[in-house]
Amino acid sequence: MGQNAFRAEGIDTSRPHPARIYDYLLDGKDNYEVDQLAGDQLAAAAPEVRIGVRANRAFLQRAVRYVVGSGVRQILDVGTGLPTSPNVHETAQEVAPDVRIAYVDNDPIVNAHANALLSRSGETSIVLADLRDPRSIVDHPDVRRVIDFDEPVALLLVAILHFITDAEKPEQVVETLRDALPAGSFLVLSHATGDFADRSEAQAVYAKATATLNLRSRARVERFFDGFELIEPGLAQVPFWRPDSPPPAGSETIGFFGGVARKTG
């Protein structure tokens, strides 16, 4: 069996998984009844969640176009989730066909679907690994197969760090990944927040899932960009980060911050 191989009995479908909840909220098909129930409960607790996940997805696409347009030809997407078109590689390769992408996720179901749906060419790699162990990502041979850490890399941490608890030291996780990147690299990051409303009921939904939801303030999210220089407009609610069309109604309530930053040294 290969490094990313797994047995079906190793997949936990008894509890909702964040990637599958996200897929359900995006009207995807790669989810289970337990994920659908959690998604419905989440939407009841946080009515803006459906426009929020779409706004976050649109932010990701705009950010990818920005970093590729800035000259980066390598993307490390950690916590990629289930493939939703347009995928990161589709968005990136519309700008520059020679972009290489390494996708990383810790859910075997995500890994299986990604292997089935995404190219296994030299330009794309799909890796089963966990953000909580960042060195295992940086050192993974299938990451190294497509990512040259001597050249600028765009690191994507989109809607993933809020599933890392404070006890798991998310700042240190980002620092480890940052230190592996050369100057000229970019960090694309989005993170859920409770700054705009009490979202304790939404957190309760994830308390029953395979990962908890750890909301953080704007100031806490900004700390993840230490060692990077934020690109204008800085850290913003995701619909307002360089929008290419009018933000949808209700955008001011969306509890997602997003930003793009460049490593200058």
Side-chain angles (χ1 to χ4, degrees), residues 211-260:
T212 58
L213 178 63
N214 304 275
L215 303 177
R216 296 185 174 97
S217 67
R218 180 191 182 95
R220 281 293 307 277
V221 176
E222 283 183 331
R223 283 165 53 181
F224 292 125
F225 292 96
D226 287 352
F228 294 89
E229 183 177 303
L230 277 161
I231 304 299
E232 288 294 329
L235 188 65
Q237 284 170 276
V238 288
F240 304 110
W241 191 91
R242 300 194 174 210
D244 50 16
S245 61
S251 289
E252 67 280 356
T253 68
I254 290 175
F256 269 103
F257 285 122
V260 177

Side-chain angles (χ1 to χ4, degrees), residues 178-198:
R178 179 199 67 202
D179 291 348
L181 304 176
S185 294
F186 286 89
L187 171 62
V188 176
L189 183 149
S190 70
H191 195 293
T193 183
D195 281 7
F196 307 105
D198 178 3

Side-chain angles (χ1 to χ4, degrees), residues 59-75:
F59 158 76
L60 168 63
Q61 292 161 3
R62 295 194 304 276
V64 166
R65 287 194 291 268
Y66 175 84
V67 297
V68 175
S70 299
V72 171
R73 294 295 179 268
Q74 306 182 104
I75 297 175

